[in-house]
Amino acid sequence: MIERAETAVPSIAQLNLDGYVGFANLPNQVYRKAVKRGFDFTLMVVGESGLGKSTLINSLFLTDLYSKDYPGPSHRIKKTVQVEQSKVLIKEGGVYLTLTIVDTPGFGDAVDNSNCWQPVIDYIDSKCEDFLNAESRVNRSSVSDSRVHCCLYFIAPSGHGLKPLDIEFMKRLHDKVNVIPLIAKADTLTPEECQLFKKQIMKEIQEHKIKIYEFPDMKDDDDNKLTRKIKEKMPLAVVGSNVVVEVNGKKVRGRQYPWGVAEVENGEHCDFTVLRNMLIRTHMQDLKDVTNNVHYENYRSKKLAAVTCNGVDITKTKGQLTKSPLAQMEEERREHVMKMKKMEAEMEQVFEMKVKEKKQKLKDSEAELERRHEQMQRNLEAQYKELEEKRRVFENEKVDWEAQQRILEQQKLDASKTMEKNKKKGKIF
Amino acid sequence: MAANEVDVFANEEKRNLELRGHVGFDSLPDQLVSKSVAQGFCFNILCVGETGIGKSTLMNTLFNTTFENEEASHYEKEVQLRPQMYSLQESNVNLKLTVVHTVGFGDQINKEESYKPILEYIDAQFEKYLEEEMKIKRSLANCHDTRIHICLYFIAPNGHSLKSLDLVTMKKLDSKVNIIPVIAKADTVSRSELDKLKIKVMSELVSNGVQIYQFPTEDEAVAEINSSMNTHLPFAVVGSVDDVKVGNKMVKARLYPWGSVQVENENHCDFVKLREMLLRVNMEDLREQTHARHYELYRRCKLEEMGFKDSDPDSQSFSLQETYEAKRKEFLVDLQRKEEEMRQMFVNKVKETEAELKEKEKELHGRFEQLKRMHQDEKKNLEEKRRELEEEMNAFNRRKVAAETLMGQALQGCSQPFKKDKDKKN
């Protein structure tokens, strides 16, 4: 089931009004502005040629979108699958609608149809990309919405079930666009055959987990009954006709057979009216909203996640997706700054340590030097002292001896004097 | 097949086609409206005005209900904004209304910074929306829109013109929010004074280039009423929640000894005009203008600030992805550069310190050498002295020996004569 966005209502004070205020007129204001703006809708039709796609479009919009001058997809013979669009402006009741019909001539017509869905996917993605770029510009003007809002897939009325191509196509496109499968040329099936066919198709759709467009539950109970009726009739079996025939005096659109007229707008003949009511009259806006809120947002978040995570597995941290790519970069920047700070702190630490070591070493050397110097000083001093002592002793000795010598000298002098005297006295006999 | 090979048939040619019957898409506006109604609407009003000028009373009167609001004092240090959210319902329309009052506006002595909290609040709401819009996984449909759709600026009725605070504030706010100036407590001004005041106010706004909100005149349904209302600006309003009996009806009025001022009487004041314009006729346009003009302006400025451009000098427009990728590359390069810078700084630091330490080492070495030399010198000195001493001692010894030898000889000589004598005697 396609997830729809639920409106969250914050809990706030509920107050009662005591009288006329006037904002009940707001819806009317919205209405007027919407009409003034005009509407646009892009419808894609896909199916093999000859299934009545152009006829159905003409019948739906009661206009000659496809005519001799603008032939439908089956009349444009293409060698390869192309995707082509035609834009028309139609007006009804004061409301302008710019309708873009996108068709795929050549779809499923080749012998080898592998990848015939790729041009379709590329087209849808390119429209989403255009919208994304337009809404992400710095200078935005009112963005015109050219995204594909609905894809009508035509199933050939074989009566037996879906073809492999049908399944493959729907599987690949169900999460990119609203897919509404239709049984084409339903006037080739009897009601019972049609019922069985529908059941079979729905069974296969469920088996392959294909998410076709779901009708939302309406607030109104009557509308809800209608919605449930529509759901029971899926996929819708349609018949289209460009021709008006007369039945019981009434002019109706239909297909004239020898056995009767298959009326397009007769609910018992086919589900055309259901389709028209649903597609145009009641759910056109919802188709646009689902395209905008679900399919486009999927595309956008995938695109932006790719940019941010640079190819990293997105499913890893869901938390990353709740930020914008810029916030993501901011966070990475902050992380990096923290990492750098840590690194810086570490390097600082190592640096400081080494410096301390070296300084310590120097200090030690210096101390050592001091110590040795002291020692040597002391040594020298000791030696000096010793020398001093020695000299002192020597000096003393010298002085003593000299003193002694002087005494001796004196004695000698005295002695020689005495001898002289004695000699003189005549110790000589 | 690549997307650029898509063949577009009759691409830009938009044909006008005639419809041959009733298709039914004229219900599209109804579909849109019923969805909007189911979702509910949001409306955010900012009331700017001095304390006691009647903001809360006017809100109560306008919405015919009682919003909780305590009376503000005159002594707030700075202007504060108090938002309050309410849920209202009228017939089938649910409205989430946020009323923001400026508390303390005009009370400070220095009012130069008064407008700043208001500006910041408005910007913060824009920022919130912008952030949501830029998220990877976003839910714009659910997000409660808090952007201010309308700013009611209350002008004091006394005085003959706008105060300079009014002009300054409105000038700062006019590019950020839709402003509707109202003259408050209009029942204190006489009719002629009121007319003069209105003219003066409008001419002052025009001459100062203040852009107030103009009621739109493009839609024919409302062009007439809007353009006539534009001439009645600023609205002179009176607010009251008290019911007074006038005639045989109970009406909202202010009772004076000389009569009652009826709020909803167009002869007495412009309250009904304000209510019409604000709520009944132009509410959606106010919301649209806020989103399409004011918010876009904010967003554009913010994105340009962050360095986003729409096209590079070669006038090739960037896709969003390219822009983000470019930014990311820039960002990574920047981070790398910062890392390099830091490393480089460290390398330099290390070199410096190494050089320093080497210097010190050399110094120490030098000192060591010096000391060594000193020691050598001292030692030499000592050796010298020692040698000297030795020499002296040797010299002395020689003298001593010489003297003794002489003495010995002398003694012998002396003793010989003695001996002769002795011998003679003998």
Side-chain angles (χ1 to χ4, degrees), chain A residues 90-101:
Chain A
I90 39 183
K91 173 178 159 199
E92 185 175 67
V95 176
Y96 285 85
L97 175 65
T98 303
L99 182 66
T100 308
I101 304 289

PDB file of all heavy atoms in Angstrom, chain A residues 90-101:
ATOM      1  N   ILE A  90      -7.721  23.265 -21.794  1.00  0.00           N
ATOM      2  CA  ILE A  90      -9.175  23.165 -21.908  1.00  0.00           C
ATOM      3  C   ILE A  90      -9.815  23.944 -20.774  1.00  0.00           C
ATOM      4  O   ILE A  90      -9.239  24.119 -19.704  1.00  0.00           O
ATOM      5  CB  ILE A  90      -9.657  21.697 -21.875  1.00  0.00           C
ATOM      6  CG1 ILE A  90      -8.864  20.884 -20.869  1.00  0.00           C
ATOM      7  CG2 ILE A  90      -9.552  21.087 -23.241  1.00  0.00           C
ATOM      8  CD1 ILE A  90      -9.254  19.425 -20.841  1.00  0.00           C
ATOM      9  N   LYS A  91     -11.023  24.416 -21.058  1.00  0.00           N
ATOM     10  CA  LYS A  91     -11.683  25.292 -20.093  1.00  0.00           C
ATOM     11  C   LYS A  91     -13.090  24.786 -19.881  1.00  0.00           C
ATOM     12  O   LYS A  91     -13.807  24.410 -20.816  1.00  0.00           O
ATOM     13  CB  LYS A  91     -11.689  26.716 -20.659  1.00  0.00           C
ATOM     14  CG  LYS A  91     -12.483  27.655 -19.826  1.00  0.00           C
ATOM     15  CD  LYS A  91     -12.421  29.071 -20.394  1.00  0.00           C
ATOM     16  CE  LYS A  91     -13.607  29.831 -19.849  1.00  0.00           C
ATOM     17  NZ  LYS A  91     -14.002  30.986 -20.528  1.00  0.00           N
ATOM     18  N   GLU A  92     -13.491  24.785 -18.606  1.00  0.00           N
ATOM     19  CA  GLU A  92     -14.854  24.368 -18.296  1.00  0.00           C
ATOM     20  C   GLU A  92     -15.293  25.081 -17.039  1.00  0.00           C
ATOM     21  O   GLU A  92     -14.626  25.019 -16.004  1.00  0.00           O
ATOM     22  CB  GLU A  92     -14.885  22.852 -18.075  1.00  0.00           C
ATOM     23  CG  GLU A  92     -16.290  22.308 -17.854  1.00  0.00           C
ATOM     24  CD  GLU A  92     -16.279  20.791 -17.770  1.00  0.00           C
ATOM     25  OE1 GLU A  92     -15.704  20.279 -16.792  1.00  0.00           O
ATOM     26  OE2 GLU A  92     -16.817  20.144 -18.683  1.00  0.00           O
ATOM     27  N   GLY A  93     -16.445  25.764 -17.138  1.00  0.00           N
ATOM     28  CA  GLY A  93     -16.982  26.424 -15.947  1.00  0.00           C
ATOM     29  C   GLY A  93     -16.036  27.419 -15.318  1.00  0.00           C
ATOM     30  O   GLY A  93     -15.958  27.527 -14.095  1.00  0.00           O
ATOM     31  N   GLY A  94     -15.267  28.102 -16.126  1.00  0.00           N
ATOM     32  CA  GLY A  94     -14.360  29.097 -15.562  1.00  0.00           C
ATOM     33  C   GLY A  94     -13.039  28.514 -15.090  1.00  0.00           C
ATOM     34  O   GLY A  94     -12.150  29.242 -14.664  1.00  0.00           O
ATOM     35  N   VAL A  95     -12.917  27.183 -15.168  1.00  0.00           N
ATOM     36  CA  VAL A  95     -11.691  26.548 -14.686  1.00  0.00           C
ATOM     37  C   VAL A  95     -10.816  26.176 -15.878  1.00  0.00           C
ATOM     38  O   VAL A  95     -11.267  25.483 -16.792  1.00  0.00           O
ATOM     39  CB  VAL A  95     -12.025  25.274 -13.888  1.00  0.00           C
ATOM     40  CG1 VAL A  95     -10.757  24.559 -13.474  1.00  0.00           C
ATOM     41  CG2 VAL A  95     -12.874  25.625 -12.684  1.00  0.00           C
ATOM     42  N   TYR A  96      -9.587  26.636 -15.839  1.00  0.00           N
ATOM     43  CA  TYR A  96      -8.647  26.324 -16.915  1.00  0.00           C
ATOM     44  C   TYR A  96      -7.787  25.143 -16.519  1.00  0.00           C
ATOM     45  O   TYR A  96      -7.215  25.134 -15.433  1.00  0.00           O
ATOM     46  CB  TYR A  96      -7.733  27.532 -17.198  1.00  0.00           C
ATOM     47  CG  TYR A  96      -8.413  28.629 -17.947  1.00  0.00           C
ATOM     48  CD1 TYR A  96      -9.164  29.583 -17.268  1.00  0.00           C
ATOM     49  CD2 TYR A  96      -8.324  28.715 -19.336  1.00  0.00           C
ATOM     50  CE1 TYR A  96      -9.803  30.589 -17.953  1.00  0.00           C
ATOM     51  CE2 TYR A  96      -8.970  29.724 -20.024  1.00  0.00           C
ATOM     52  CZ  TYR A  96      -9.714  30.664 -19.332  1.00  0.00           C
ATOM     53  OH  TYR A  96     -10.342  31.674 -20.012  1.00  0.00           O
ATOM     54  N   LEU A  97      -7.711  24.178 -17.408  1.00  0.00           N
ATOM     55  CA  LEU A  97      -6.861  23.027 -17.132  1.00  0.00           C
ATOM     56  C   LEU A  97      -5.873  22.851 -18.265  1.00  0.00           C
ATOM     57  O   LEU A  97      -6.253  22.757 -19.427  1.00  0.00           O
ATOM     58  CB  LEU A  97      -7.727  21.763 -16.992  1.00  0.00           C
ATOM     59  CG  LEU A  97      -6.968  20.451 -16.815  1.00  0.00           C
ATOM     60  CD1 LEU A  97      -6.201  20.457 -15.500  1.00  0.00           C
ATOM     61  CD2 LEU A  97      -7.909  19.259 -16.843  1.00  0.00           C
ATOM     62  N   THR A  98      -4.586  22.842 -17.891  1.00  0.00           N
ATOM     63  CA  THR A  98      -3.551  22.535 -18.879  1.00  0.00           C
ATOM     64  C   THR A  98      -3.286  21.052 -18.784  1.00  0.00           C
ATOM     65  O   THR A  98      -2.692  20.571 -17.815  1.00  0.00           O
ATOM     66  CB  THR A  98      -2.265  23.313 -18.575  1.00  0.00           C
ATOM     67  OG1 THR A  98      -2.568  24.703 -18.556  1.00  0.00           O
ATOM     68  CG2 THR A  98      -1.211  23.038 -19.625  1.00  0.00           C
ATOM     69  N   LEU A  99      -3.772  20.339 -19.773  1.00  0.00           N
ATOM     70  CA  LEU A  99      -3.668  18.888 -19.734  1.00  0.00           C
ATOM     71  C   LEU A  99      -2.503  18.436 -20.602  1.00  0.00           C
ATOM     72  O   LEU A  99      -2.390  18.840 -21.752  1.00  0.00           O
ATOM     73  CB  LEU A  99      -4.983  18.289 -20.252  1.00  0.00           C
ATOM     74  CG  LEU A  99      -5.115  16.770 -20.265  1.00  0.00           C
ATOM     75  CD1 LEU A  99      -5.116  16.250 -18.852  1.00  0.00           C
ATOM     76  CD2 LEU A  99      -6.402  16.374 -20.971  1.00  0.00           C
ATOM     77  N   THR A 100      -1.639  17.613 -20.042  1.00  0.00           N
ATOM     78  CA  THR A 100      -0.530  17.071 -20.824  1.00  0.00           C
ATOM     79  C   THR A 100      -0.734  15.574 -20.918  1.00  0.00           C
ATOM     80  O   THR A 100      -0.825  14.886 -19.902  1.00  0.00           O
ATOM     81  CB  THR A 100       0.817  17.364 -20.141  1.00  0.00           C
ATOM     82  OG1 THR A 100       0.897  18.746 -19.848  1.00  0.00           O
ATOM     83  CG2 THR A 100       1.976  16.966 -21.031  1.00  0.00           C
ATOM     84  N   ILE A 101      -0.846  15.088 -22.121  1.00  0.00           N
ATOM     85  CA  ILE A 101      -0.983  13.642 -22.310  1.00  0.00           C
ATOM     86  C   ILE A 101       0.356  13.110 -22.791  1.00  0.00           C
ATOM     87  O   ILE A 101       0.918  13.595 -23.784  1.00  0.00           O
ATOM     88  CB  ILE A 101      -2.072  13.321 -23.359  1.00  0.00           C
ATOM     89  CG1 ILE A 101      -3.394  13.960 -22.948  1.00  0.00           C
ATOM     90  CG2 ILE A 101      -2.232  11.818 -23.511  1.00  0.00           C
ATOM     91  CD1 ILE A 101      -4.070  13.317 -21.762  1.00  0.00           C
TER      92      ILE A 101
END
